């Protein structure tokens, strides 16, 4: 089969990890007889340096005409001045909004061989396998008004947390659909004891829940959820929440998997269903890690797992996705580790070496 794909390496470690993701993808193509047509574009800081904007119209158009987008990371200290008008993150946020990628899926799964290697006790980590469904095009990130202004008594700034019932309904539905294919337990996270937007969130979640009597729906406050994620993470199956809460909780949850370098994500324009192909943008949850850039250190597992998610959700290639995930598992079992997941007695490797090891397994050689 033929697929067209836009590749946006971005900033910092982005280009390095992207190269490994593409390597693994090409091995899938070769082994299973698929043709991946790649078009490279600029996003983030590199786009600002080159064109003065974080995302150009041409790049956006290219993405709109493709089957999927693979993104590395954006941002870095070079563009971090809070006074500047345009920032790398604007490119990513514009992509999410313009491509209508409202559903961000962040699976948190602990590879059994890494159970001893995280900051938490092995008995707490064992069996952790859940998925965050984060609303991605609304809430505090996008709602208006948002501005900074001068008053006679000093500067003020505001952001707005608004959700419409339609926005809540469609994301909660993604949560229910995913739960249906899993352990049938959905936790909806809000702050309904304080926030009006959260009270609407909770009402709509309950209303949608009536259509899913087979799925158990539980509401949890975001502060309690952040505690429970550390206390008993195996408790969770599917977690659905708003944009800001999901951003914070998913970084916390990455530590369950040992490192930010282990977690992939899929941002989709609709409800994912087994076997169906849906447009999406795939990226690791980690950032551009500027201090690690150019050192052949970064962990490429998150991007390679993101490639697997792309195969599964946008290309309908479940068997191929499974091959990629197994390849990672096998390499970890053989004891290879990047610096971020390194532990005693294991073999430390760089970005390229890790990518090569995984690619070899994917290719079956
Ligand atoms: C993420 C990142 C982004 C976000 C940044 C880079 C804008 O932290 O994908 O979680 O806040 O959504
Ligand atoms: Mg984040």
């Amino acid at each position: 089969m033929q697929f067209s794909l836009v590749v946006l390496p971005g900033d910092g470690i982005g280009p390095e990890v992207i190269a490994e993701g593409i390597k693994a993808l090409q091995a899938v193509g070769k082994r299973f007889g698929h043709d991946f047509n790649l078009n490279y574009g600029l996003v983030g800081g590199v786009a600002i340096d080159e064109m003065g904007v974080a995302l150009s119209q041409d790049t956006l158009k290219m993405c709109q005409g493709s089957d999927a987008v693979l993104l590395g990371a954006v941002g870095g200290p070079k563009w971090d001045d809070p006074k500047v008008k345009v920032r790398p993150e604007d490119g990513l946020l514009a992509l999410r909004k313009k491509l209508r990628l409202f559903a961000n899926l962040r699976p948190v799964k602990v590879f059994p061989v890494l159970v001893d290697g995280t900051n938490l006790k092995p008995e707490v980590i064992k069996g952790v396998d859940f998925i965050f469904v984060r609303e991605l095009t609304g809430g505090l990130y996008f709602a208006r008004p948002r501005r900074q202004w001068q008053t006679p008594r000093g500067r003020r700034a505001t952001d707005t947390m608004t959700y419409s019932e339609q926005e809540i309904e469609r994301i909660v539905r993604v949560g229910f659909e995913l739960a249906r294919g899993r352990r049938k337990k959905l936790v909806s996270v809000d702050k309904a004891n304080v926030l009006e937007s959260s009270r609407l969130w909770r009402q709509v979640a309950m209303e949608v829940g009536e259509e899913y009597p087979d799925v158990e729906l539980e509401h949890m406050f975001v502060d309690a959820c952040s505690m429970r994620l550390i206390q008993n993470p195996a408790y969770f199956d599917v977690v659905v929440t708003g944009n800001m809460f999901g951003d914070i909780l998913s970084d916390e949850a990455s530590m369950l998997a040992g490192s930010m370098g282990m977690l992939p994500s899929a941002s989709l324009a609709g409800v994912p269903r087994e076997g169906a192909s849906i447009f999406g943008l795939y990226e690791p949850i980690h950032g551009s890690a500027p201090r690690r850039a150019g050192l052949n250190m970064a962990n490429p597992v998150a991007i390679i797992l993101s490639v697997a998610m792309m195969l599964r959700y946008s290309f309908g290639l479940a068997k191929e996705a499974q091959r990629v995930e197994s390849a990672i598992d096998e390499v970890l079992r053989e004891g290879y580790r990047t610096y971020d997941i390194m532990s005693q007695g294991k073999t430390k490797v760089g970005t390229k070496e890790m990518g090569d090891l995984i690619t070899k397994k994917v290719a079956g050689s």
Side-chain angles (χ1 to χ4, degrees):
M1 286 173 76
Q2 279 218 343
F3 303 95
S4 85
L5 165 69
V6 171
V7 185
L8 305 173
D11 307 318
I13 58 169
E16 289 166 71
V17 294
I18 277 276
E20 304 313 311
I22 296 301
K23 237 192 243 170
L25 180 72
Q26 300 294 26
V28 167
K30 216 161 171 197
R31 174 162 182 177
F32 294 90
H34 304 302
D35 204 1
F36 300 107
N37 177 19
L38 311 181
N39 289 296
Y40 283 78
L42 297 177
V43 71
V46 283
I48 295 175
D49 288 352
E50 192 100 344
M51 307 177 294
V53 289
L55 174 73
S56 71
Q57 283 301 325
D58 287 349
T59 308
L60 177 63
K61 278 219 186 83
M62 198 160 79
C63 294
Q64 282 162 336
S66 72
D67 297 318
V69 179
L70 187 68
L71 187 142
V74 297
K78 185 175 171 194
W79 308 280
D80 256 356
D81 179 353
K83 291 199 204 90
V84 296
K85 281 259 145 38
V86 47
R87 43 189 67 254
E89 290 77 4
D90 297 343
L92 179 57
L93 296 177
L95 271 174
R96 291 173 177 173
K97 190 76 177 173
K98 298 258 163 70
L99 299 173
R100 301 187 210 305
L101 305 170
F102 69 90
N104 182 223
L105 274 42
R106 300 189 160 185
V108 182
K109 200 169 168 174
V110 183
F111 285 91
V113 286
L114 292 184
V115 160
D116 290 319
T118 79
N119 285 0
L120 280 89
K121 293 194 190 107
E123 61 264 33
V124 173
I125 296 298
K126 220 170 137 238
V128 166
D129 177 6
F130 65 93
I131 184 161
F132 270 114
V133 179
R134 169 189 174 194
E135 200 288 325
L136 205 61
T137 54
L140 259 183
Y141 274 58
F142 290 98
R144 299 195 175 256
R146 54 183 289 132
R147 62 188 185 107
Q148 205 182 115
W149 72 99
Q150 189 70 48
T151 78
R153 297 175 57 194
R155 288 166 297 172
R156 287 181 79 99
T158 191
D159 295 280
T160 306
M161 185 130 157
T162 300
Y163 269 116
S164 71
E165 60 175 305
Q166 291 79 10
E167 282 176 308
I168 301 168
E169 197 218 297
R170 65 182 181 179
I171 193 69
V172 168
R173 203 171 279 287
V174 172
F176 276 111
E177 290 288 335
L178 286 176
R180 209 166 233 183
R182 298 174 49 104
R183 302 197 300 277
K184 299 189 170 44
K185 236 177 81 179
L186 178 65
V187 171
S188 169
V189 176
D190 62 37
K191 188 70 186 172
N193 50 346
V194 177
L195 302 175
E196 207 52 49
S197 55
S198 279
R199 288 194 270 271
L200 178 63
W201 183 283
R202 191 171 280 216
Q203 279 165 35
V204 174
M206 286 191 291
E207 288 157 18
V208 178
E210 282 169 25
E211 294 173 42
Y212 297 86
D214 51 321
V215 177
E216 181 199 330
L217 170 66
E218 179 184 350
H219 306 281
M220 202 178 276
F221 295 136
V222 61
D223 47 353
C225 179
S226 75
M227 180 211 41
R228 186 64 75 89
L229 278 172
I230 300 298
Q231 181 209 36
N232 184 13
Y235 179 82
F236 295 99
D237 180 20
V238 180
V239 181
V240 65
T241 190
N243 207 342
M244 185 83 246
F245 296 158
D247 178 48
I248 298 169
L249 293 176
S250 60
D251 265 27
E252 183 192 3
S254 74
M255 291 320 290
L256 305 170
S259 158
M260 297 260 286
M262 295 297 295
L263 287 202
S265 86
S267 304
L268 305 176
V271 181
R273 293 208 169 82
E274 192 69 36
S277 302
I278 177 164
F279 180 79
L281 177 148
Y282 300 83
E283 55 173 324
I285 83 147
H286 64 67
S288 60
R291 282 186 304 133
R292 311 282 181 199
L295 300 175
N296 191 37
M297 280 180 86
N299 186 348
V301 167
I303 190 94
I304 299 175
L305 284 172
S306 301
V307 166
M309 290 187 88
M310 180 172 74
L311 293 168
R312 181 171 284 121
Y313 294 122
S314 284
F315 301 161
L317 302 175
K319 184 174 67 191
E320 288 80 344
Q322 185 58 53
R323 179 82 282 270
V324 173
E325 288 159 356
S326 307
I328 294 170
D329 190 48
E330 287 159 29
V331 169
L332 292 174
R333 271 177 208 284
E334 287 173 8
Y336 296 103
R337 304 281 188 273
T338 40
Y339 82 94
D340 56 319
I341 49 171
M342 183 60 192
S343 60
Q344 221 186 355
K346 305 298 177 203
T347 312
K348 193 159 159 186
V349 293
T351 312
K352 273 206 186 76
E353 292 70 35
M354 189 56 130
D356 285 340
L357 287 161
I358 296 167
T359 299
K360 251 195 192 152
K361 298 272 185 200
V362 171
S365 55

